[in-house]
Structure formats: structure tokens, C-alpha cells
Amino acid sequence: MRLVEGIAHIDDLDAFLSELTTIGDDTDCTVQAFDARYVVDRTHLQRALELADRAINRGENVARDRGVEVMLYAAGRRQIDRALTVGVSEGECPVVVLVATEGGSDDADRDDAVEATAADAVADLLSPAETLGEFDESLVREYFDVSDRELAATDGTLADVIHERVALLDVRK
């Protein structure tokens, strides 16, 4: 898995998503864009990918598309329309784009090269910027419904609570 960070200047959302789909199709990778304001860290998306792959392998996935299934886990939601909130939107948007081969290949070097090619193509669509970990705490807390009481009851950070939300999605199905 690779994560590509940057600022997207999206005039036409459908056209932007179509470009990402084309990159994914051309490289046989999953390419899924997220609004970086909702992504607490790399682990957030890594865990969402792992759990989405597990659901797909078990035939328990909600979405037909792997990228959408990853988004569901990252959003901690089973409803696609609610999960789209953590996706990108028109205008200037800080983004982090997940790029991942299907995995399971016997050729890890080939998979790495394919991911690198896809990541480079995605990077060409963005203005360079560090966006991962630059999440909006109040936005994240509101979206994931993390109260002061819940946060005070844990020894962990907000990121830890979000990681738990991602993991608990399987329990809430």
C-alpha cells in the first residue's frame, strides 16, 4: 500500500474520480481518494484496507468495489452514502489517496513497482503537500461521534479511538 498526499483542485468531481479510476484500471490497483481532514494517520487507512480485504475474502463485503469497501471501513460506516463524506469533493481539498495492488502475488517486487507507477500517476493530479496526519480534530470528532466523555475515558488518543471505530465496524454489521 502507498499513500499519496497533496492538494486536489477539483472543478469536476466526476472527471477527477474518472481519472483515478483510469489509473487504477491501467495499473490493476485500487485507487481511493480521501479528504485528509478525516484521516487521522497511516494506520487508519492501513487497517481499513486490511479489514476490507478480509471482508471481501470472506464474502462479507457490502460494496462490489474494493475501494468503496475500504472507504466504508475508513469511515466506520456500512452505508455508502454516509461513508462518502470522508471522500473528496469539488473545490480545493487536502487529500490522501490510497494505492494498493490486490496483494497475494508471488512477486512482491512487481507489486511494489506497479504501486509506484500508480502512485506517480496520482501525484501528477495533485499539488504536493503533506496532508496525512493534518486532520481536523473537531470535524473528526463530530463525524465519528467522539464525545469529551469517551475521549477522557481512554488512555489513548483520538487516533486510537478512530482505529477502534474502524475495527468495530465488523462487530456492528
Side-chain angles (χ1 to χ4, degrees):
M1 176 188 87
R2 289 178 186 253
L3 298 178
V4 182
E5 304 173 66
I7 304 296
H9 305 277
I10 304 172
D11 294 323
D12 180 342
L13 182 59
D14 290 334
F16 180 77
L17 296 176
S18 179
E19 289 182 85
L20 295 179
T21 298
T22 299
I23 292 167
D25 290 345
D26 289 349
T27 59
D28 201 25
C29 285
T30 296
V31 178
Q32 185 63 52
F34 296 89
D35 182 328
R37 297 173 303 160
Y38 292 92
V39 179
V40 295
D41 57 16
R42 179 181 183 80
T43 301
H44 182 174
L45 295 182
Q46 177 69 44
R47 189 69 178 136
L49 176 62
E50 291 167 0
L51 292 169
D53 283 346
R54 184 176 75 181
I56 291 166
N57 290 335
R58 292 179 174 176
E60 298 171 351
N61 49 306
V62 171
R64 290 185 295 267
D65 179 81
R66 182 182 185 218
V68 174
E69 190 72 13
V70 171
M71 181 174 281
L72 291 170
Y73 275 94
R77 304 278 195 285
R78 295 313 290 165
Q79 301 85 17
I80 293 172
D81 60 329
R82 290 265 302 142
L84 291 175
T85 300
V86 302
V88 296
S89 56
E90 289 185 352
E92 187 174 289
C93 182
V95 299
V96 60
V97 182
L98 178 143
V99 175
T101 60
E102 293 296 321
S105 168
D106 292 334
D107 191 348
D109 289 337
R110 181 200 166 280
D111 287 349
D112 189 54
V114 168
E115 284 180 356
T117 299
D120 287 346
V122 168
D124 288 343
L125 301 176
L126 308 175
S127 297
E130 291 184 23
T131 59
L132 191 58
E134 299 297 321
F135 64 93
D136 181 324
E137 183 174 340
S138 62
L139 193 65
V140 168
R141 287 184 62 180
E142 180 181 335
Y143 181 78
F144 287 96
D145 194 27
V146 179
S147 67
D148 290 337
R149 185 176 174 177
E150 180 181 9
L151 205 51
T154 180
D155 288 334
T157 64
L158 178 58
D160 294 327
V161 173
I162 302 310
H163 299 160
E164 183 175 298
R165 291 284 202 285
V166 171
L168 287 176
L169 186 60
D170 276 337
V171 174
R172 292 188 279 165
K173 282 200 246 187

